Amino acid sequence: MRDDHVKWFMLALAALTIMGSYYTYDSIAPVAGLLRDERGFTQSQIGLLNAVFNLPNIALALIGGILIDRIGAAKAILIASFICTIGATLTAVGEPYGLMLVGRLLFGLGNETLYIALLVGIAQWFHLGGGALAIALFFSMARVGSYSADKSTSWFAEVYAQGWQAPLWLAAGLTATGVLTAFIYYLIDRKLPQLRAVGQKSERFRLKDLTGFSRSFWYILWLNVLFASVFFPFRSTFSIQYFMDVKGMNLADAGTANSYVFAAAIFATPLFGLLADRIGRRASLLTFAAALMPLTFVLLVTTDYGLWVTTILMGLSFSVIPAVIWPSTAMLVEKHRVGTAFGLINMIQSLGLAAANYGAGHLNDLFDAGPDNPEGYDAMLLMFALLSFVAFISTVLLLMRERRQPGKGIEAREILQSDVSMQRH
């Protein structure tokens, strides 16, 4: 295999590894109605299944990022894929409820480390260029996992007909395939280390090192945290039940409607990644995408527009932000601190995801949201609208700062590593 083909093969392995993991994360929303009807779960209990996914990473995501910088991305990917499989298996066993929570917690612990390590690995293999396109293609395969989870309600209708447990066993099996792809990735990484970037040896971590990141990094961090705290709790936890209770859809149609966002992202995310690599203007792209999110929820609450309108808006936002935000982050920090930077983002993001998942479920219970009271969901939607508006403000501040340094920063077509030290002040 030619050297320039190796990095694309490694990208394919990374993408296949994350695909099963994303399917498993999004497997809760399709079975939410079954858990409510067959096991009597409240919406708070359903929300907690995804909230607890993020709880360990509030403390451990940063540690995971630091560990990745020390032991290497490939080894971290392999270890994390094993932990994900154990967690998905316990979730599928599922009884009692406490065991299901433990499974989701373990899956979350492994998944966040896996996610960070894969992003770091891609940044290393594509250090000479094409990083935005590579990460966008990586996320496209992740969206295939999410899209498949939503479509599974119709693709595997006979599995869902067996009750709440069978779909979760299917998810556990897909997660287990990631162990094989992670092992192949690890073997190639060990054999050909000269083909990827290797930063200078990471110094001993000190808490005060976290203050060394630029202001642009912190704006991107808050955009990432707030965007994730809106998008994933809605689309991966409550949207299918919302479509059924408010829009009168059956389970298969609601799953299909929810899948449109992920389907659009599969194809659109690489296009925006390629665009960012070609023209730069990354802060401008992020600002545009962030502006669409509050508009989406305002339309859901205040209008009777068809779901396709909000699907297009949310799909565009979801296609742009992941394609641009992670390579932009890697551009703004030193190579040997990328794992730490990604870990810090995911640590705070995990707190936001846990709070938003549980908060949304609590609001739905508080206002008695359900098929007999569809207006009860309005409080949840307004909460998401407010969070996404704050995310938009963060991108405006980012854009204003980046435009004060023409020809440099993430608005430029390329950013030199020497610019990173200049942006720290």
Side-chain angles (χ1 to χ4, degrees):
M1 186 182 297
R2 291 173 50 184
D3 289 352
D4 57 340
H5 291 166
V6 172
K7 66 180 183 180
W8 293 104
F9 184 68
M10 297 298 278
L11 173 63
L13 291 172
L16 290 171
T17 302
I18 202 65
M19 184 176 66
S21 180
Y22 264 57
Y23 182 101
T24 301
Y25 175 77
D26 287 300
S27 65
I28 295 300
V31 299
L34 295 173
L35 292 172
R36 184 176 68 176
D37 297 339
E38 296 180 6
R39 299 190 62 184
F41 284 9
T42 66
Q43 297 227 28
S44 294
Q45 286 179 306
I46 293 170
L48 189 58
L49 288 174
N50 274 347
V52 76
F53 169 93
N54 300 286
L55 287 178
N57 302 296
I58 296 171
L60 298 179
L62 177 60
I63 296 174
I66 297 168
L67 184 64
I68 290 165
D69 284 338
R70 289 187 173 275
I71 70 172
K75 185 179 292 186
I77 290 167
L78 184 58
I79 295 171
S81 66
F82 273 110
I83 297 174
C84 284
T85 301
I86 294 171
T89 300
L90 292 178
T91 303
V93 173
E95 292 184 285
Y97 177 71
L99 181 64
M100 181 177 274
L101 284 179
V102 170
R104 290 298 284 181
L105 186 145
L106 281 176
F107 177 73
L109 174 62
N111 187 75
E112 287 301 297
T113 302
L114 178 67
Y115 175 69
I116 298 169
L118 287 168
L119 286 173
V120 172
I122 293 170
Q124 290 175 343
W125 282 96
F126 287 84
H127 67 288
L128 296 178
L133 176 59
I135 288 179
L137 289 169
F138 168 77
F139 277 118
S140 285
M141 285 301 293
R143 307 314 173 216
V144 169
S146 296
Y147 173 78
S148 299
D150 285 335
K151 288 295 291 181
S152 66
T153 57
S154 54
W155 287 349
F156 307 110
E158 67 281 1
V159 175
Y160 283 85
Q162 298 176 37
W164 63 270
Q165 193 171 37
L168 296 179
W169 277 117
L170 174 62
L174 291 173
T175 304
T177 63
V179 177
L180 176 60
T181 52
F183 182 65
I184 298 172
Y185 185 105
Y186 173 75
L187 292 178
I188 297 175
D189 186 89
R190 286 192 64 184
K191 185 177 180 180
L192 302 171
Q194 72 277 8
L195 298 183
R196 58 170 168 80
V198 180
Q200 65 188 62
K201 186 177 180 180
S202 181
E203 299 175 356
R204 184 176 181 181
F205 175 76
R206 297 167 297 180
L207 285 177
K208 68 178 183 179
D209 291 341
L210 297 179
T211 63
F213 294 120
S214 71
R215 195 182 307 167
S216 289
F217 168 81
W218 290 104
Y219 290 145
I220 278 185
L221 180 148
W222 288 114
L223 167 61
N224 208 324
V225 169
L226 292 166
F227 178 81
S229 297
V230 170
F231 183 87
F232 290 108
F234 180 66
R235 284 289 172 180
S236 298
T237 308
F238 297 104
S239 58
I240 291 179
Q241 201 61 47
Y242 169 81
F243 294 153
M244 294 173 66
D245 292 347
V246 178
K247 306 299 182 180
M249 295 180 169
N250 59 38
L251 177 59
D253 289 342
T256 297
N258 200 47
S259 72
Y260 289 154
V261 170
F262 300 117
I266 291 170
F267 303 101
T269 302
L271 296 178
F272 286 113
L274 181 61
L275 181 66
D277 279 335
R278 291 289 181 87
I279 71 169
R281 302 293 182 184
R282 298 170 184 85
S284 299
L285 288 169
L286 290 173
T287 303
F288 161 74
L292 300 179
M293 285 298 285
L295 179 60
T296 297
F297 289 101
V298 170
L299 290 176
L300 278 173
V301 173
T302 62
T303 73
D304 293 323
Y305 290 152
L307 284 179
W308 66 270
V309 176
T310 54
T311 296
I312 289 175
L313 293 176
M314 189 170 285
L316 278 173
S317 183
F318 189 52
S319 298
V320 175
I321 288 181
V324 178
I325 201 167
W326 290 109
S328 296
T329 303
M331 292 174 178
L332 293 172
V333 300
E334 297 90 343
K335 289 181 180 178
H336 68 283
R337 301 180 71 198
V338 172
T340 301
F342 285 0
L344 177 61
I345 291 174
N346 279 272
M347 178 185 72
I348 303 176
Q349 179 176 291
S350 295
L351 176 61
L353 283 166
N357 267 300
Y358 186 76
H362 180 70
L363 285 174
N364 288 341
D365 285 338
L366 183 65
F367 289 93
D368 197 25
D372 297 327
N373 182 35
E375 293 81 7
Y377 286 101
D378 288 350
M380 174 187 73
L381 298 181
L382 287 172
M383 179 192 81
F384 287 144
L386 290 173
L387 289 175
S388 55
F389 179 73
V390 178
F392 170 66
I393 295 300
S394 181
T395 62
V396 171
L397 294 173
L398 172 67
L399 180 61
M400 292 171 60
R401 183 171 192 271
E402 291 299 306
R403 286 193 171 178
R404 287 199 293 266
Q405 41 184 356
K408 297 180 180 179
I410 63 173
E411 277 289 274
R413 182 177 178 182
E414 295 180 355
I415 182 170
L416 301 176
Q417 194 65 25
S418 59
D419 292 335
V420 171
S421 60
M422 296 174 61
Q423 290 201 24
R424 293 174 63 183
H425 303 289

